[in-house]
Structure formats: structure tokens, C-alpha cells
Amino acid sequence: MTRSKIAYLRYNLVMFYDFLHKVLKIPLTMRVRCDRSISKKPELTVVFLHGIASSYATWREVLPPLLRDRDLGKVRFVALDLIGFGKSEKPDWFTYDYAGYRKTLTRTFKKLKIRTPIVLCGHSMGGLIAIDYAANGDRLIDQLILISPPVIKGSEVAGLQDQIYTKLYGELRKHTGAKPISVAASFIDALSSFEKRSLNTRAFRKTMDNIILNKENYSTAAHLKIPIEIIHGRFDPLVIGANLKKLTERNSHIHLTETFGGHDMFGAKAKKINKIFKDTILHMLLQSDL
């Protein structure tokens, strides 16, 4: 087959793809990067969502020990790449807002044929998407586990720290192509799951505007009525710890654990997260057997 014919076929596939998803509004599905269970008939499904400018690699120190743990043999573990990041599709026409991610997550659940209770886990922005889906999604979520969710209060109740963080996040969104941001991103990229190449993209800009800077995040989390485990690193510069503590005061369903570490999941923080994951999952399995 000649190059021109290959190019023609690719063009037609792209046009057909856009017609299905952009014109007919058929939701996209997220790329499944991990889907494993020791049991052929799992009793619980744990779904992992990464943060902004990252991929399922975020969970590289958390997921493998869980997969090897024979005590968790009845659990199905699923790790996804969010639309716009990792190996998932990155269409320019995608909205990159909560409504868009709710639709793609629901369709992904259907594609995976998940018929068990679901624990939805999110790191950073993935935690915000998990909160929104638990509140507004089509599928019932039984438990949330959130690591370092950057919850900023809305303007009507925002304190000085919230205003400063909103300003800083806004500046980061506007100046992603600037040299200092690029240098900082290279440093962070080497030490975490953060991916520098995602910075200067529409997905990064739109999710920063629509997800991280969304004024409803705090209120949505405060009103959820399902069990929520939150893990926060004491030295995390990207999360307002005081807001997470306030959430636990407002919502009795939330349990907050502070641990050593920053925003990502390495070392002592990863070990603490693994313990919380295992304890939470085993408790849910025990409850389902009663």
C-alpha cells in the first residue's frame, strides 16, 4: 500500500472518529492501563484516576503491592488514563470539564462491564473528578479514596490562602510556555509522575480552568454522603491542608490522614497510602460478607 493510500485511510478514520464522538456525541472511553484481579469473580472494583499533566504511572509505587497482595484476591484493580493525558485520546473538541469526564467515565465503566461495588480513587485533580462523579455521575460509587486533592474554597467563603492559591494556579495556567515554568517542570518531571510534555496543551489549560479552579469543589465534597478517605502530605505545597481539615469538621463521612511527604506518592507516604488502601478494601469486603 502506498503512502498516499495510507494517509487517505488515516484521514477517513479520523473523520469517522470525529463524526461518532463530536457530531453524534457518543462519549469517549478512557484508555485502560491496568485491569487485573486474582479472582475470576471479583467482589469489589477499585478504580484509579491520576492528576493533571500525568498518567496512570502516578500509581507506580502504590498499585504493584496491591496487585501482589493475596489478601486482596477478590478485588479487581483498574487504572485509567484521563482523556487528554497519558495514552488516552486528546481531541481538541473535548470539553475537559466535569460533565465531559462524567460521560467518559460512565462509558468506560460500561465497557469494562463492572458489576461490583466501586471504590473510586483519585490523586490530585483525579480526586476532584472522583468527588464530582460520586456526587453527579450515573454510576453509584461506594467509597472514595483521595490523595492530595487540591480543594480550594469558592469566592464566597475563600480565605486569604485560597485567594493566593487561586492566583498562583491561574498564573501557572497562563504562563505554561515561559522559560521558568519549563525549567521547574523539567525538575518536577524527574522526581514524580508529572509529565512536562502535557503542560502546554489544551487539556492542561482547560482542566486547570474547569476542574482545579472550579468554585464548587469544596461545597461538593462537603455534601457527599459516602465514606471518604483523604490522605494529605504535610509538606505538600499544592494543597491547602486547612481546607481538608475543615471538610472533616463539616462532613462526618470524611476521614483525614496526614502523613510525611509532599504532593506525590513516594517512600513513607506511599507505604501509608498502601496501608490505608488495604484496610479500607478489606473493611468493605467484610461488610459485603455480613
Side-chain angles (χ1 to χ4, degrees):
M1 187 178 292
T2 64
R3 289 185 178 179
S4 60
K5 287 184 177 180
I6 293 173
Y8 179 75
L9 285 173
R10 286 178 177 172
Y11 172 79
N12 280 280
L13 284 172
V14 170
M15 292 297 291
F16 180 68
Y17 177 85
D18 282 350
F19 178 75
L20 286 177
H21 299 291
K22 184 178 179 180
V23 179
L24 296 184
K25 306 296 183 182
I26 297 174
L28 297 162
T29 56
M30 300 180 188
R31 178 66 69 89
V32 179
R33 302 297 302 276
C34 174
D35 183 3
R36 288 178 57 186
S37 174
I38 296 174
S39 172
K40 292 183 179 180
K41 294 183 179 180
E43 298 178 7
L44 182 70
T45 302
V46 181
V47 180
F48 297 83
L49 304 177
H50 62 79
I52 193 170
S54 191
S55 71
Y56 100 112
T58 293
W59 307 99
R60 59 178 173 260
E61 284 201 24
V62 173
L63 193 51
L66 297 174
L67 294 173
R68 294 192 299 265
D69 196 323
R70 305 297 297 185
D71 292 339
L72 305 178
K74 296 180 180 180
V75 182
R76 180 183 182 185
F77 294 98
V78 174
L80 306 172
D81 277 349
L82 295 170
I83 299 298
F85 303 100
K87 293 187 179 297
S88 275
E89 302 292 341
K90 304 171 181 62
D92 288 338
W93 49 264
F94 189 70
T95 55
Y96 296 104
D97 59 6
Y98 281 131
Y101 281 117
R102 283 199 298 270
K103 291 176 182 177
T104 59
L105 198 50
T106 294
R107 186 164 176 81
T108 303
F109 287 159
K110 290 180 179 178
K111 178 183 176 182
L112 290 166
K113 298 179 180 179
I114 298 176
R115 298 184 177 89
T116 68
I118 297 175
V119 177
L120 193 53
C121 310
H123 174 253
S124 193
M125 184 183 77
L128 302 180
I129 292 173
I131 289 169
D132 172 78
Y133 192 88
N136 305 302
D138 293 332
R139 182 68 186 265
L140 174 67
I141 301 301
D142 296 85
Q143 167 100 34
L144 291 180
I145 301 178
L146 313 174
I147 297 93
S148 307
V151 180
I152 300 173
K153 292 180 182 177
S155 55
E156 69 283 357
V157 291
L160 178 60
Q161 198 172 6
D162 295 279
Q163 296 172 30
I164 292 172
Y165 269 62
T166 299
K167 179 70 173 177
L168 289 174
Y169 277 125
E171 289 300 310
L172 175 62
R173 178 250 183 269
K174 287 192 297 184
H175 300 292
T176 52
K179 184 69 173 179
I181 298 295
S182 181
V183 172
S186 297
F187 177 72
I188 296 171
D189 196 15
L191 298 177
S192 72
S193 57
F194 183 85
E195 296 176 352
K196 176 186 173 183
R197 64 178 180 274
S198 295
L199 258 183
N200 200 25
T201 64
R202 185 173 186 273
F204 179 87
R205 292 189 296 271
K206 297 298 288 185
T207 52
M208 181 67 77
D209 290 342
N210 297 329
I211 307 293
I212 291 180
L213 295 176
N214 192 297
K215 296 179 180 180
E216 301 300 319
N217 290 336
Y218 183 86
S219 178
T220 303
H223 289 91
L224 274 177
K225 301 301 181 184
I226 63 171
I228 304 171
E229 286 285 343
I230 300 181
I231 301 101
H232 168 57
R234 293 190 184 94
F235 307 106
D236 189 341
L238 303 179
V239 175
I240 303 176
N243 284 356
L244 301 182
K245 292 178 182 178
K246 195 69 177 178
L247 277 174
T248 64
E249 296 172 7
R250 287 194 56 183
N251 188 340
S252 61
H253 298 277
I254 297 176
H255 178 259
L256 174 64
T257 299
E258 287 192 322
T259 183
F260 185 85
H263 193 67
D264 227 293
M265 296 176 282
F266 295 118
K269 186 179 179 183
K271 291 179 180 179
K272 185 67 174 181
I273 289 169
N274 271 100
K275 185 179 185 306
I276 291 173
F277 265 103
K278 182 171 181 175
D279 291 346
T280 301
I281 292 168
L282 289 177
H283 178 72
M284 288 197 68
L285 289 172
L286 179 63
Q287 291 294 104
S288 66
D289 290 337
L290 295 178

